[in-house]
């Protein structure tokens, strides 16, 4: 090999992206008198750009950079225009940047953008790869910004917003503004009002009194009409719909105190602007807290959605991977997943090996090893190696997007118990308004001055505000379902959560639910014909793909022997020659067909094992029976613990199975369940559930196969597992993502606790009204005290519900 | 008594300043994400400060 040839084979690293390349393939350039090598013209371009902007420090700082080509591509500014938020002189946009590899990339992007004329600010979030860029409209075009980013090798993409989270954030910010404003003006108002109260008792000059009254009027107005606007507009809307809601009570209470006070300024009476403002302030506080907890639940969902990358490295026909948006990738395509990268789509590994962190889906912290043939899921993290994945479905068909849909659905569904509060509000509100009007009339007739009568009526309106009643159920369910979802239990709706809490009987599918779903060897009979019986059997069965064969192979840990003349008889067994001896392993039928004489001892053992529900594999050596195996699909390790825990909760247990009676009886005895139904087809399982329901039981069914789907739908609650078939997951109301059986017990226990807390909440809310209303009607409670009490009541409900956060 | 009005006025102005600050903070997103700022300080690096804005050749 000549020197040039050797040189051409020499490995180099690209000066920009550090990818390895051959000398002959490098693009060379002399920059500032030094020769630089690049893998492509794109990297050269980026290097020149960074150098010309004197941002070379980037190359010194990057330490956790993974070699890899930058994301080059065309940018079409029109795609982004819909996302620009324009407020007069400045514009803002959120972008998703591809190609962010390390913290220095964030630094580079921010610095490079900040140097452009017209940019107000550029911020990149390292964790989410999102950039927020603000610029002065007209001084720089969006296209320039996007092309600068693309020129640096960070391909910008429009952000797909989690609309729900966006709306939540907006709502919370709006509430915060309204509450903060109300708080500020109410505080100022209280100072003035304190002076007025003091003046009422000690005497006050009319000029001062009038001045203070006018100042308090000015202070109360923004509170009532800005901070209180949501209540007023809701009240008006409900008036138009002729179905008065809770906001109507708040608005009516606040406005009547406000307008009465305005009238008093002109007629020279006492003002109660403090009442109208404090009602709004306290109730806004409650709303603000509620919005916070809803936002928390919503952002968990957004965090899930953010796990899915927005693009994938699509492997083309030439074998090179190039980034492509997910929308363009369909089933059958091959994508590349780099170490440290998230899997963008569900698929099957075709090449490469890697440990994959699936904790976001299953809650299981230990990484799972993936090799060709394994299934990988979108959103999981490839840790150690590079994988080539054959995509099995588009971006909307991934397990992750299914989960997101499920959770969204769940949060939209109402529990039946929630209907109670809504129905109550329907007649409760008009009744309270009547009661308030009646109170006013009664006090007037009784000879009390208008002001006393009015204040008492306002008190009634405020105290009756059924906010706590409205919060009691949805908040508890929200907190409860979020808590279990952190453990990997997805509940499809509040109604389902409620049914779970009423469960009386738990029905378990056998295969795959309480058993492992694959057999293991329980009995081994060696008739002593060969002194290497186990080794020969394992060597032979290693070639069989039947689960029974796998089990026998697994039972021998030693070295395998070489095999000649292998023959696999599908569904029956396998034969071959080991060191000149002919070995045959398979079912009794196969051995009889091959002319092996089965003696009485052997037949008797086989019959006995089969009666116990075991599968038998017989082995012959040179035409004589050498031994036999009994196999059974045994209990999962956590099955006994789960069954014990469920029984401790007073639940009835039952096993349903499609297997024969022997197997079912063996398993039932082993785990101590007395009710067993065996030999059922899918519809038979559903029928068994119907029978249970007819006898008055509330049934929870756990299963994982397609054959369980009808039963899962028939049961009051269906529970499937994350490893279950998609059909099973769809037909179940609850999915346990990480296959941990003991979570079944957690689910039931937690739902029971959740509904106990809801009952406490409702009892509190009703009880509070029951006691406080008479006090208000009789005029014991001043409206401000009522507002305070009411807010306390809501806080009690909120903090009681938050207890559900702990499992 | 003029001092009363004066003090009320001062209190009101200080309060108003606080309110304006609050409005600014909420509007400009200062309260949106209390998590990120602690990481930002790690990013900043002023090695290249005081360099010319553009290096025209």
């Amino acid at each position: 090999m000549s020197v040039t040839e050797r040189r051409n084979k020499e490995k180099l690293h690209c000066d920009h992206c550090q990818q390895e390349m051959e000398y002959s393939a490098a693009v060379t350039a002399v920059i500032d008198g030094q020769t630089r090598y690049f893998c492509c013209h794109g990297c050269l371009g980026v290097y020149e750009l960074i150098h010309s902007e004197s941002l070379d420090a980037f190359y010194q700082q990057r330490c956790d950079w993974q070699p890899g080509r930058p994301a080059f591509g065309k940018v079409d500014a029109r795609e982004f225009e819909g996302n620009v938020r324009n407020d007069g002189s400045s514009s803002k946009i959120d972008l998703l940047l591809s190609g962010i590899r390390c913290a220095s990339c964030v630094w580079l992007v921010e610095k490079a953008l900040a140097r452009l004329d017209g940019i107000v600010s550029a911020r990149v979030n390292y964790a989410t790869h999102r950039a927020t860029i603000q610029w002065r409209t007209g001084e720089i075009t969006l296209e320039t910004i996007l092309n600068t980013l693309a020129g640096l090798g960070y391909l910008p993409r429009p952000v797909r917003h989690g609309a729900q989270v966006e709306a939540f954030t907006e709502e919370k910010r709006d509430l915060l503004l309204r509450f903060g404003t109300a708080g500020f003006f109410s505080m100022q108002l209280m100072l003035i009002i304190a002076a007025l109260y003091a003046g009422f008792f000690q005497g006050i000059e009319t000029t001062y009194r009038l001045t203070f009254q006018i100042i308090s009027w000015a202070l109360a107005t923004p509170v009532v009409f800005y901070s209180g606007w949501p209540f007023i507009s809701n009240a008006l809307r409900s008036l138009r719909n002729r179905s008065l809601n809770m906001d109507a009570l708040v608005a009516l209470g606040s406005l009547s105190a406000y307008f009465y006070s305005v009238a008093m300024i002109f007629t020279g009476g006492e003002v109660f602007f403090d009442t109208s403002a404090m009602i709004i302030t306290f109730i806004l506080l409650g709303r603000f807290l509620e919005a916070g907890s809803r936002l928390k639940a919503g952002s968990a969902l957004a965090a899930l959605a953010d796990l899915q990358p927005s693009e994938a490295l699509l492997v083309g026909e030439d074998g090179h991977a190039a980034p492509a948006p997910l929308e363009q990738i369909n089933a059958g395509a091959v994508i590349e997943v780099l170490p440290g990268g998230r899997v963008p789509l569900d698929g099957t590994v075709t090449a490469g090996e890697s440990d994959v962190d699936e904790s976001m889906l299953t809650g299981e912290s230990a990484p799972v090893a993936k090799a060709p043939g394994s299934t990988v899921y979108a959103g999981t993290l490839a840790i150690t190696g590079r994988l080539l994945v054959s995509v099995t479905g588009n971006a909307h068909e991934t397990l992750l997007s299914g989960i997101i849909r499920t959770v969204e659905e769940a949060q939209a569904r109402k529990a039946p118990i929630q209907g109670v509060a809504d129905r109550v509000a329907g007649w409760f509100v008009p009744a309270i308004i009547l009661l308030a009007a009646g109170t006013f009339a009664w006090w007037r007739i009784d000879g009390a001055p208008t002001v006393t009568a009015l204040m008492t009526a306002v008190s009634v309106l405020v105290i009756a505000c059924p906010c706590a009643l409205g919060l009691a159920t949805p908040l508890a369910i929200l907190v409860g379902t979020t808590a279990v979802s952190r453990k990997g239990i997805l509940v499809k709706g509040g109604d389902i959560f409620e049914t779970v809490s009423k469960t009386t009987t738990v029905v378990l599918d056998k295969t795959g639910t309480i058993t492992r779903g694959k057999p293991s060897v329980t009995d081994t009979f060696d008739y002593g014909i060969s002194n290497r019986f186990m080794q020969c059997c394992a060597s032979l069965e290693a070639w069989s793909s039947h689960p029974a064969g796998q089990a026998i192979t697994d039972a021998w840990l030693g070295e395998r022997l070489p095999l000649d003349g292998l023959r696999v008889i599908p569904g029956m067994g396998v034969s071959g020659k080991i060191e000149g001896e002919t070995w045959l392993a398979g079912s009794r039928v196969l051995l009889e067909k091959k002319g092996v004489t089965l003696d009485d001892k052997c037949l008797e053992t086989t019959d006995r094992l089969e009666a116990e529900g075991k599968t038998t594999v017989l082995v012959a050596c040179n035409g004589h029976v050498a031994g036999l195996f009994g196999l059974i699909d045994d209990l999962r390790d956590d099955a006994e613990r789960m069954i014990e825990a469920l029984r401790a909760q007073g639940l009835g247990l039952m096993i349903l199975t499609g297997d024969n009676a022997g197997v079912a009886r063996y398993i039932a005895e082993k785990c101590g369940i007395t009710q067993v139904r065996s030999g059922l087809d899918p519809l038979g399982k559903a029928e068994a559930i119907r029978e249970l329901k007819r006898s008055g039981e509330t049934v929870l069914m756990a299963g994982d196969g397609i054959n369980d789907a009808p039963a899962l739908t028939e049961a009051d609650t269906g529970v499937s597992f994350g490893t279950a078939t998609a059909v099973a997951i769809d037909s179940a109301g609850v999915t346990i993502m990480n296959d941990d059986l003991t979570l079944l017990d957690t689910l039931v226990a937690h739902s029971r606790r959740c509904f106990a807390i809801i009952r406490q909440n409702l009892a509190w809310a009703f009880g509070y009204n029951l006691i406080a209303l008479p006090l208000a009607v009789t005029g014991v409670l001043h409206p401000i005290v009522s507002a305070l009490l009411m807010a306390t009541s809501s806080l009690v409900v909120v903090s009681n519900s938050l207890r559900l956060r702990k499992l | 008594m003029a001092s009363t009005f004066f003090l009320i006025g001062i209190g009101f102005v200080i309060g108003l300043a606080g309110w304006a600050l609050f409005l600014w903070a909420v509007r400009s997103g200062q309260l949106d994400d209390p998590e990120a700022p602690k990481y930002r300080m790690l990013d900043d690096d002023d090695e290249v400060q005081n360099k010319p804005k553009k290096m025209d050749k």
Side-chain angles (χ1 to χ4, degrees):
Chain A
M1 215 196 282
S2 75
V3 175
T4 352
E5 264 180 274
R6 200 177 308 139
R7 180 112 207 243
N8 280 346
K9 289 276 175 199
E10 199 180 306
K11 296 289 183 194
L12 278 178
H13 291 277
C14 172
D15 272 324
H16 176 68
C17 71
Q18 297 189 342
Q19 215 169 31
E20 201 176 66
M21 57 186 175
E22 276 175 18
Y23 181 80
S24 59
V27 177
T28 51
V30 180
I31 295 163
D32 273 358
Q34 266 193 303
T35 314
R36 301 280 178 188
Y37 304 94
F38 301 99
C39 65
C40 59
H41 285 279
C43 282
L44 168 62
V46 174
Y47 189 90
E48 281 178 334
L49 181 65
I50 292 176
H51 182 69
S52 72
E53 293 282 345
S54 47
L55 290 169
D56 301 87
F58 168 70
Y59 293 109
Q60 278 110 55
Q61 328 186 334
R62 58 177 189 188
C63 45
D64 43 2
W65 172 282
Q66 302 267 358
R69 237 180 249 206
F72 295 115
K74 276 219 173 75
V75 182
D76 183 359
R78 279 169 302 177
E79 269 185 65
F80 295 82
E81 258 143 34
N83 293 5
V84 177
R85 300 190 297 280
N86 206 323
D87 56 339
S89 59
S90 78
S91 305
K92 229 179 187 180
I93 193 169
D94 286 325
L95 299 170
L96 209 56
L97 296 180
S98 318
I100 298 268
R101 286 159 189 276
C102 60
S104 315
C105 297
V106 174
W107 176 87
L108 182 64
V109 169
E110 290 184 355
K111 289 281 174 208
L113 284 180
R115 277 156 195 244
L116 294 174
D117 288 322
I119 296 282
V120 178
S121 72
R123 284 272 179 251
V124 182
N125 184 323
Y126 176 44
T128 59
H129 296 189
R130 272 189 194 189
T132 307
I133 300 157
Q134 195 186 359
W135 68 95
R136 284 184 289 279
T137 319
E139 282 185 44
I140 188 169
T141 60
L142 177 61
E143 208 171 348
T144 318
I145 298 172
L146 297 176
N147 283 328
T148 307
L149 287 168
L152 285 169
Y154 303 104
L155 194 64
R157 300 180 37 75
V159 170
R160 298 165 301 164
H161 267 298
Q164 209 188 3
V165 172
E166 197 78 338
F168 272 150
T169 319
E170 205 40 57
E171 186 192 331
K172 200 183 168 193
R173 186 186 278 200
D174 182 66
L175 266 176
L176 183 60
L177 276 180
R178 289 184 200 274
F179 169 65
T181 307
F184 161 73
F185 283 106
S186 300
M187 275 191 287
Q188 298 276 324
L189 186 62
M190 289 318 277
L191 284 177
I192 308 292
I193 293 291
L196 281 173
Y197 276 124
F200 178 74
F201 291 113
Q202 301 175 351
I204 186 169
E205 271 178 54
T206 327
T207 340
Y208 286 118
R209 194 173 74 163
L210 196 62
T211 320
F212 284 161
Q213 284 184 342
I214 288 170
I215 295 178
S216 61
W217 182 14
L219 289 170
T221 307
V223 180
V224 174
F225 291 99
Y226 170 67
S227 299
W229 184 247
F231 301 107
I232 298 173
S233 70
N234 267 339
L236 289 176
R237 201 176 316 135
S238 79
L239 208 62
R240 270 201 299 279
N241 298 340
R242 298 180 192 288
S243 65
L244 289 175
N245 59 16
M246 302 165 197
D247 285 349
L249 287 182
V250 180
L252 200 65
S254 174
L255 284 176
S256 48
Y258 179 82
F259 285 115
Y260 173 81
S261 305
V262 174
M264 282 304 109
I265 289 181
F266 294 105
T267 54
E270 294 299 326
V271 297
F272 293 95
F273 287 117
D274 48 340
T275 310
S276 58
M278 292 318 273
I279 294 171
I280 303 278
T281 310
F282 282 131
I283 293 169
L284 274 176
L285 174 66
R287 294 272 164 106
F288 179 67
L289 292 175
E290 189 200 337
S293 61
R294 277 190 14 233
L295 181 65
K296 234 173 250 161
S299 57
L301 201 64
L304 268 185
D306 277 344
L307 288 178
Q308 189 162 24
S310 60
E311 59 175 16
L313 290 169
L314 185 63
V315 178
E317 275 164 26
D318 57 349
H320 281 291
L326 285 194
E327 297 78 43
Q328 289 173 15
I329 301 175
N330 288 312
V334 176
I335 54 171
E336 185 181 3
V337 180
L338 295 170
R342 289 209 182 272
V343 179
L345 292 160
D346 288 3
T348 314
V349 177
T350 55
E353 283 179 8
S354 176
D355 286 342
V356 173
D357 178 2
E358 296 191 329
S359 60
M360 55 296 294
L361 291 181
T362 61
E364 179 63 55
S365 53
V368 185
K370 300 282 180 182
S374 336
T375 310
V376 288
Y377 300 101
T380 56
L381 190 69
I383 304 171
T384 46
R386 175 178 157 278
L387 296 173
L388 285 182
V389 176
S390 166
V391 176
T392 48
N394 67 31
H396 304 288
E397 294 162 0
T398 61
L399 183 64
L400 182 69
S401 55
I403 292 171
I404 295 167
R405 271 199 302 277
T406 306
V407 181
E408 270 173 355
E409 219 177 276
Q411 293 182 344
R413 276 160 82 161
K414 283 184 172 180
I417 199 168
Q418 203 169 338
V420 175
D422 289 347
R423 267 198 309 280
V424 167
W427 56 261
F428 190 71
V429 176
I432 291 301
I433 291 176
L434 279 181
L435 183 65
T439 308
F440 178 78
W442 182 65
W443 278 74
R444 268 317 267 129
I445 292 162
D446 201 40
T450 319
V451 51
T452 321
L454 190 76
M455 281 301 116
T456 317
V458 170
S459 239
V460 171
L461 287 178
V462 173
I463 210 86
C465 176
C467 287
L469 205 59
L471 276 178
T473 313
L475 189 63
I477 288 184
L478 187 79
V479 178
T481 47
T482 311
V484 291
S485 74
R486 271 203 308 273
K487 280 266 184 179
I489 308 173
L490 296 177
V491 183
K492 279 192 193 159
D495 50 346
I496 291 166
F497 211 42
E498 184 169 354
T499 325
V500 173
S501 72
K502 291 180 181 153
T503 303
T504 54
T505 300
V506 175
V507 177
L508 302 160
D509 167 52
K510 187 189 72 75
T511 317
T513 306
I514 47 180
T515 65
R516 289 203 185 89
K518 55 179 189 186
S520 57
V521 177
T522 52
D523 303 76
T524 309
F525 294 91
D526 178 0
Y527 294 147
I529 284 188
S530 164
N531 50 6
R532 294 177 306 181
F533 174 71
M534 272 312 294
Q535 193 175 10
C536 291
C537 290
S539 310
L540 183 64
E541 290 286 9
W543 301 95
S544 156
S545 59
H546 193 275
Q550 290 298 316
I552 293 171
T553 310
D554 289 345
W556 171 256
L557 299 171
E559 199 190 346
R560 306 261 153 79
L561 297 167
L563 193 73
D564 289 326
L566 168 81
R567 273 198 64 209
V568 178
I569 307 111
M572 305 280 275
V574 60
S575 72
K577 277 193 168 168
I578 298 171
E579 288 172 10
E581 293 173 324
T582 310
W583 286 81
L584 172 68
S587 65
R588 187 155 91 181
V589 185
L590 177 74
L591 266 74
E592 278 168 353
K593 221 161 72 184
K594 293 274 168 184
V596 179
T597 6
L598 303 174
D599 54 28
D600 286 346
K601 189 175 71 171
C602 169
L603 282 176
E604 190 193 315
T605 319
T606 313
D607 286 341
R608 182 171 58 78
L609 289 174
E610 278 173 4
E612 284 175 13
K614 291 174 186 170
T615 313
T616 49
V617 174
L618 282 72
V619 185
C621 178
N622 290 333
H624 299 284
V625 179
L628 61 92
F629 294 98
L631 301 105
I632 200 151
D633 181 11
D634 218 336
L635 284 187
R636 284 167 50 147
D637 299 331
D638 46 3
E640 274 171 88
R641 232 170 348 123
M642 172 213 36
I643 286 162
E644 213 169 284
L646 288 174
R647 190 173 286 132
Q649 291 198 47
L651 295 164
L653 294 161
M654 188 182 200
I655 294 180
L656 293 186
T657 178
D659 276 350
N660 65 51
V663 185
R665 207 179 320 118
Y666 170 82
I667 291 294
E669 269 168 31
K670 194 151 183 202
C671 61
I673 294 177
T674 46
Q675 296 189 75
V676 186
R677 300 278 305 268
S678 55
L680 298 170
D681 63 357
L683 293 175
K685 287 185 179 181
E687 181 53 39
I689 303 254
R690 257 196 299 277
E691 271 171 38
L692 267 177
K693 281 169 78 177
R694 267 200 295 275
S695 66
E697 304 281 333
T698 305
V699 183
L700 182 143
M701 157 96 193
D704 69 340
I706 296 173
N707 58 345
D708 295 319
L712 288 172
T713 322
E714 188 59 46
D716 294 293
T717 318
V719 178
S720 71
F721 295 88
T723 50
T725 51
V727 184
I729 293 179
D730 277 350
S731 30
V734 180
T735 305
I736 295 179
M737 292 313 296
N738 59 4
D739 222 22
D740 178 358
L741 267 187
T742 51
L743 286 180
L744 209 54
D745 154 58
T746 313
L747 170 71
V748 177
H750 197 66
S751 69
R752 285 184 172 183
R753 236 185 97 207
C754 180
F755 281 85
I757 282 191
I758 288 176
R759 275 188 294 274
Q760 287 166 17
N761 282 350
L762 287 177
W764 168 267
F766 276 119
Y768 149 85
N769 269 331
L770 222 58
I771 294 167
L773 259 185
L775 291 178
V777 171
T778 50
V780 174
L781 296 178
H782 187 273
I784 296 178
V785 181
S786 313
L788 196 60
L789 271 182
M790 218 219 45
T792 320
S793 165
S794 297
L795 277 177
V796 167
V797 166
V798 169
S799 37
N800 195 29
S801 305
L802 287 180
R803 290 198 296 146
L804 285 167
R805 274 200 301 206
K806 284 208 193 97
L807 280 177
Chain B
M1 280 302 250
S3 62
T4 316
F5 286 121
F6 182 67
L7 288 173
I8 287 176
I10 287 187
F12 187 72
V13 167
I14 293 175
L16 214 59
W19 183 50
L21 201 68
F22 167 76
L23 288 188
W24 167 80
V26 176
R27 289 250 163 79
S28 64
Q30 302 285 323
L31 302 174
D32 285 357
D33 180 12
E35 277 299 304
K38 65 186 176 205
Y39 299 111
R40 293 215 72 82
M41 55 172 266
L42 300 172
D43 296 345
D44 276 332
D45 194 320
D46 293 317
E47 251 180 82
V48 287
Q49 63 189 180
N50 302 328
K51 289 249 175 136
K53 254 206 143 185
K54 283 252 153 90
M55 295 225 318
D56 295 312
K57 284 174 202 157

